[in-house]
Amino acid sequence: MNVFLIILAIGVLAFLGIRYFLFRIGDPVNRKVSDSYFYHYRKNLIVHSPMGNWFELGYFESESDVESFQPINRDFGKDKKDVFWKGRKQAVDYATFQVDASGIIKDKNHVYTTNGKEYNFLGIIEVADPKSYQLLDPSLSEYKRISWFKDANAVFYRSKKTEGDPATFKPLNDAIAVDDHFIYSIIHQRGDGIYAFEVDEVIRKHKRIAGEIKVINDTYVQIGNAVVSAFTKEEFTLHTFETIKNTKEIDYFTIVVNDTLIYKGIACPEIDIESFEPLDYGYAKDSKNVYYNEKK
């Protein structure tokens, strides 16, 4: 009996010791607002731990004032004198700082991005006007909506200023945008395979051409009797037809216009459309040939 009690006591002490030294988070500050801000389990501190998963995602002991701290949303919070993001104090104007319903982060002086140059600290979106900065088009699908913004003077894509006209600019798909005067390529990355790197640029490429706009798929757009895309080394291709009777999407890279197959912006008139069949791993075939990336 004594041995059992000794073993039980050791087990309880071990559990309490592990809990005391390893547990980092205690009660949430305000669970209704944030699932990531907590009181420290044993210190008089505010802790930021993403979704409370300190074991896998880590935690940060904030220097905020414990008595006055309140979360603003999941990752933002403030105390009586400072604003915090992920527990870190941010260099913003305290009195006018806000995160609005659209997710726009701003104060009276600047608009901010969470993709700043310094990790875990807000970056300033240069030349953005905090008074007029807003969503470009609230009707866009969510993943597009949160990428496009405008102010009184410019259009911004993923926090970068573009040459687009804020009054008439419209992204059409993942690759092409227009305003009343120009056509733009939306470039997400450059390079191939392991050498690819993100750029997130919007580049003015061509004067706007006349005609009705029809989005063919995520990468091709028909404007009048022309089809435009942002593939090729030039990052823009315009194919003009005498007339366009029909278009057909094959996949992300490939469409058919009338009886011409276009692959990554390059027309392939030698391919027989009637017998064309895409295969796996970049291969395809028609009645006469087998192709790899649409090359015989």
Side-chain angles (χ1 to χ4, degrees):
M1 186 67 176
N2 289 336
V3 173
F4 172 76
L5 291 175
I6 291 171
I7 294 174
L8 180 61
I10 292 173
V12 170
L13 289 173
F15 172 77
L16 292 175
I18 291 171
R19 181 179 176 85
Y20 183 82
F21 288 105
L22 294 184
F23 273 44
R24 299 294 192 266
I25 61 175
D27 294 332
V29 178
N30 187 337
R31 189 182 294 277
K32 292 181 179 180
V33 178
S34 173
D35 60 1
S36 297
Y37 277 110
F38 300 85
Y39 297 106
H40 196 283
Y41 175 67
R42 55 190 174 85
K43 299 178 183 179
N44 188 33
L45 292 171
I46 298 295
V47 173
H48 180 271
S49 178
M51 295 171 287
N53 188 357
W54 63 268
F55 186 75
E56 292 182 314
L57 302 179
Y59 81 107
F60 181 80
E61 295 181 357
S62 177
E63 60 182 89
S64 58
D65 176 68
V66 176
E67 296 300 321
S68 61
F69 182 86
Q70 283 296 319
I72 297 171
N73 59 22
R74 168 176 279 179
D75 292 321
F76 281 96
K78 65 179 181 179
D79 63 13
K80 60 185 178 182
K81 59 185 178 65
D82 291 304
V83 172
F84 298 83
W85 179 52
K86 295 185 177 180
R88 282 85 170 171
K89 184 168 69 173
Q90 304 296 315
V92 300
D93 181 71
Y94 178 83
T96 61
F97 180 84
Q98 62 174 292
V99 183
D100 71 14
S102 302
I104 295 171
I105 309 162
K106 64 181 181 179
D107 60 23
K108 68 176 183 178
N109 301 313
H110 301 290
V111 181
Y112 299 93
T113 173
T114 55
N115 294 317
K117 295 179 180 179
E118 190 174 357
Y119 186 64
N120 284 328
F121 290 91
L122 299 176
I124 295 172
I125 302 177
E126 299 296 341
V127 307
D129 172 35
K131 292 182 180 179
S132 59
Y133 197 83
Q134 60 187 288
L135 290 171
L136 174 68
D137 182 357
S139 69
L140 292 173
S141 59
E142 183 177 0
Y143 86 96
K144 291 182 180 179
R145 184 170 66 246
I146 61 176
S147 296
W148 293 99
F149 293 86
K150 67 179 180 179
D151 65 12
N153 305 304
V155 173
F156 296 82
Y157 178 63
R158 296 187 177 177
S159 304
K160 296 180 180 179
K161 182 183 176 183
T162 77
E163 296 180 291
D165 170 30
T168 62
F169 187 90
K170 184 177 182 180
L172 300 176
N173 58 14
D174 289 347
I176 299 295
V178 297
D179 61 22
D180 278 357
H181 305 288
F182 296 98
I183 304 172
Y184 301 81
S185 290
I186 306 168
I187 308 301
H188 303 285
Q189 65 179 36
R190 293 192 176 99
D192 296 313
I194 62 173
Y195 301 104
F197 58 97
E198 290 188 1
V199 292
D200 292 331
E201 294 181 6
V202 178
I203 306 171
R204 182 183 290 173
K205 284 293 187 178
H206 198 279
K207 286 186 177 181
R208 176 73 178 269
I209 55 180
E212 181 182 356
I213 293 175
K214 176 186 175 183
V215 177
I216 301 172
N217 69 353
D218 285 338
T219 50
Y220 291 89
V221 173
Q222 176 186 342
I223 306 178
N225 285 326
V227 170
V228 295
S229 62
F231 297 113
T232 72
K233 291 182 179 179
E234 293 75 24
E235 298 178 336
F236 182 80
T237 306
L238 186 149
H239 293 282
T240 302
F241 298 82
E242 185 174 338
T243 183
I244 296 180
K245 297 179 180 179
N246 54 72
T247 61
K248 178 183 177 182
E249 175 188 7
I250 302 296
D251 56 33
Y252 186 84
F253 302 106
T254 315
I255 62 170
V256 174
V257 181
N258 297 336
D259 58 356
T260 300
L261 184 139
I262 300 176
Y263 173 74
K264 288 189 175 181
I266 299 174
C268 306
E270 70 279 6
I271 294 178
D272 177 58
I273 298 305
E274 295 299 322
S275 60
F276 178 79
E277 180 183 353
L279 304 173
D280 293 332
Y281 307 110
Y283 288 92
K285 67 178 182 178
D286 62 14
S287 59
K288 297 180 180 180
N289 299 297
V290 175
Y291 304 89
Y292 177 68
N293 286 341
E294 314 317 318
K295 292 182 179 180
K296 188 164 63 173

